[in-house]
Amino acid sequence: MSELTRRSVLRGAVTGVAAAAFTGVALGLPVALAARGTGNDTGNDIDNTAGSVPHTGPDAFDETYRGRRIHGAPQTGGGHHHGGPGYAVFVDGKELHVMQNADSSWISVVNHYETFATPRAAARAAVLELQGAALVPVAV
């Protein structure tokens, strides 16, 4: 009769957890990729789902949202501290610092812990969060 030891129980538990994690990732990855969508911002509402953005980057936009003028465009010339081309977003003429994450989602200095599919969606969310207050420039 084999003796049950803590080591054998622990080894079995670790193997089981690793197998379950691998299976979850293998089965969940196609579903997660399909759920991400295209990242196109077609509606007037905030699209809070991060999607893949073409390698050329998001399109420029210029609109009035909830009484505030928001506009954004690709920026070249190393204006951002991350190096390389960036994207500039402005709310009523004042820059809203935005950053693209590794998964192609976007964040802003106003909504730093919430990701958005496009810089336009990040700008719209910032307008809602500001609730009429002026955007104060951030020194980076």
Side-chain angles (χ1 to χ4, degrees):
M1 179 168 116
S2 67
E3 189 173 312
L4 192 59
T5 65
R6 284 185 280 185
R7 179 176 286 173
S8 65
V9 170
L10 185 58
R11 185 178 299 140
V14 169
T15 303
V17 168
F22 177 75
T23 303
V25 169
L27 294 177
L29 186 59
V31 173
L33 289 175
R36 283 177 59 172
T38 62
N40 295 333
D41 188 18
T42 58
N44 288 332
D45 295 326
I46 296 170
D47 181 8
N48 193 6
T49 58
S52 63
V53 178
H55 293 291
T56 59
D59 293 331
F61 64 91
D62 189 352
E63 67 183 31
T64 301
Y65 181 73
R66 305 254 175 149
R68 310 285 292 266
R69 180 170 181 245
I70 59 174
H71 66 281
Q75 180 183 31
T76 58
H80 290 319
H81 64 297
H82 302 291
Y87 198 90
V89 175
F90 297 88
V91 176
D92 294 334
K94 295 184 179 172
E95 186 173 13
L96 170 69
H97 184 75
V98 295
M99 183 178 78
Q100 187 173 21
N101 295 321
D103 67 351
S104 297
S105 64
W106 291 82
I107 59 172
S108 76
V109 70
V110 174
N111 299 83
H112 200 76
Y113 297 107
E114 188 174 359
T115 59
F116 301 94
T118 63
R120 177 185 301 203
R124 289 175 175 171
V127 166
L128 292 175
E129 188 70 27
L130 288 169
Q131 298 178 2
L135 180 64
V136 178
V138 175
V140 287

